[in-house]
Amino acid sequence: MMNTKKIRNTFNWIILCGSTLLVCLFLGVILWDIFSKGFSSLSWRFVSAFPTHGMTEGGILPAIVGTVILTFITTLFAVPFGVACAIYLNEYAKQSLLTNIIRASIRNLAGIPSIIYGLFGLALFVQALHLGTSILSAGLTLGLLSLPYIITTTEEALKRIPNTLREATLALGVTQAETIKDVVLPKALPGILTGVILTLSRAAGETAPILFTGVAFYINGVSSSVNQEFMALPYHLYMLSTQHNDIEQVRPLAYGTATVLILVVFLLNIIAFYVRFKNRTQD
Amino acid sequence: MNTKKREQIDRLFKVIFKSTGLLTITLLGGIFLMLFSNSISFFLNISPLDFFTGLQWDPETHYSILPLLVSTFLVALGSMLIAVPLGILTAAYLSEMAPKKIQMFLKPIIEMLAAIPSVVIGFLGIVLVGPGLAQVFGIQNGLNALNGSILLAIMALPTIVTISEDAINAVPKSYREASLALGANKWETLFKVTIPAAMPGLIAAVVLGLGRALGETMTVLMATGNSAAIPKGFLDSVRTITATIAIEMGEVPYQTTHYFALFAIAAFLFLITLIVNFIGEYFANHLRKFHA
């Protein structure tokens, strides 16, 4: 009797630890496979040159530049709107039917598949607003996709600011807008920044929303206008691994692109963790 | 600045902030309108009966959502078969058994897994999982539903682990103490008291993970082979709703039946994810009330 119980306990222990180990193993295998084959493709030339010979040689500079500019446009658009909406929800709005509807909308927006944002960007920015397939259309589309995440994380950051701070300034005769600008926002800034950077690291890796809104397989020269098509790291990886004429030959380049993409995303995550960590130790 | 001017600025900002709140409703409404107005244009040309009961998706001639719908659910449900047990057991280990040090080590790992872009996971489906499946099952290539399910499971795991862990952590300590005081050991307490008590939260975790899997595009587009026939099993190539939109939208002429058809299947996907997320939210709220 005692023995079967012991065996069962050991078995339980094994399935719990085993599951956890397997989850860790997934990450290990992903990183090991990409990095072990990708690092050999990395060189200064790879990140600083244009692709040549029908994508079979050269670098990925235009894709890196495209992703950086794209993420920048997304930030310019999504952060002001997202932060303003979070301020409304946390600082002004009372529990009412309207705020319930706004919150339900935000939750639903966060659950909509990214490809549907792509369709919406195509219908709204590319066709209805005549922005064409361009880095501007794609950036605005990614901005819409990022909006619910920025609102949610900003609201979390605002919630952590104690109410006594707001009450103290209001009691001194300062208006609510001034309280927000001079007291609440500066205090919440690190928390907001963490959320924004994490959201952008997601946006930088997205492919589906930019498919029909402006990304291109190849462009001649880095474009100087926001009305032109662009190259992006995730789409470049997709094309190299599925659509290229000579998939086997460009595989090292695909691994190299995947490595750069993962490094960019992890770098943004590390910055976000650093901001969060520094903020915590200050308190 | 005089007080009057300051108060005017104050009121102005209140209006600005409120209008951004209204923007989110407009955005959701806009997406809804865009999908359904284009779907109506589609159903003016094609009868809904053909759309829901036909057996073929073959643009220009047959527009039936059935093969795409079966593919979408096959891949997503397959991914849940893998991710649900793994995710819940990992969450149970993390919150109940793991020493503090291991917890501190595991949480960043789960967050890193969530941060990997879907296109990279899809790439691994082509270069690693696909060839692996081909070898194990002795088939020509490993781009099939099983490949997609494995990859989507990896992508859904962070969601499932995180929400499950919150749910298990939210079970009051007194439940565990009562169980232990009655002579149950820690395993009996975990499986017969803690996990059942956390059930609404665990269901929310699974449903929200499913929502994520149903709406994922790049991974399934790259790893499942994209043949638009009704699949017979996990080793068949499949083509989900998301992959169909991704493949065909770039090539269709503006405002043709084919163009509208892609919006119609997108509207259907939108409704499915809306319902799935609504169910997930319901259970998540239930959990909050339960432990409030």
Side-chain angles (χ1 to χ4, degrees), chain A residues 134-248:
Chain A
S134 63
I135 196 165
L136 183 62
S137 296
L140 293 175
T141 307
L142 278 183
L144 294 181
L145 176 93
S146 308
L147 210 50
Y149 299 101
I150 292 188
I151 295 171
T152 318
T153 51
T154 304
E155 209 193 336
E156 289 296 321
L158 292 176
K159 262 187 204 148
R160 282 197 295 270
I161 309 299
N163 252 333
T164 48
L165 278 179
R166 298 184 181 90
E167 285 155 6
T169 54
L170 289 173
L172 288 171
V174 178
T175 65
Q176 195 172 9
E178 288 163 349
T179 304
I180 292 167
K181 176 170 90 56
D182 296 331
V183 178
V184 178
L185 277 185
K187 197 93 175 91
L189 191 63
I192 296 174
L193 213 57
T194 307
V196 166
I197 299 170
L198 286 177
T199 308
L200 293 181
S201 86
R202 285 182 62 145
E206 277 287 353
T207 319
I210 59 175
L211 277 179
F212 336 115
T213 49
V215 78
F217 185 25
Y218 182 70
I219 52 160
N220 248 327
V222 173
S223 78
S224 52
S225 154
V226 291
N227 294 318
Q228 276 164 13
E229 297 196 342
F230 63 102
M231 287 174 69
L233 282 172
Y235 187 68
H236 193 65
L237 174 58
Y238 167 64
M239 286 315 253
L240 285 185
S241 55
T242 61
Q243 308 288 309
H244 197 277
N245 291 332
D246 198 343
I247 285 177
E248 291 306 320

Side-chain angles (χ1 to χ4, degrees), chain A residues 9 92 107 127 177-178 273, chain B residues 6 10 111 254 259 281:
Chain A
N9 286 350
Y92 288 96
R107 278 198 303 273
Q127 286 162 356
E178 288 163 349
F273 284 127
Chain B
R6 284 171 57 198
D10 189 46
E111 284 179 39
Y254 187 38
Y259 174 90
E281 282 294 326

Side-chain angles (χ1 to χ4, degrees), chain A residues 103-121:
Chain A
R103 281 176 204 281
S105 301
I106 294 169
R107 278 198 303 273
N108 280 318
L109 285 171
I112 294 177
S114 56
I115 188 103
I116 291 183
Y117 278 97
L119 285 182
F120 186 63

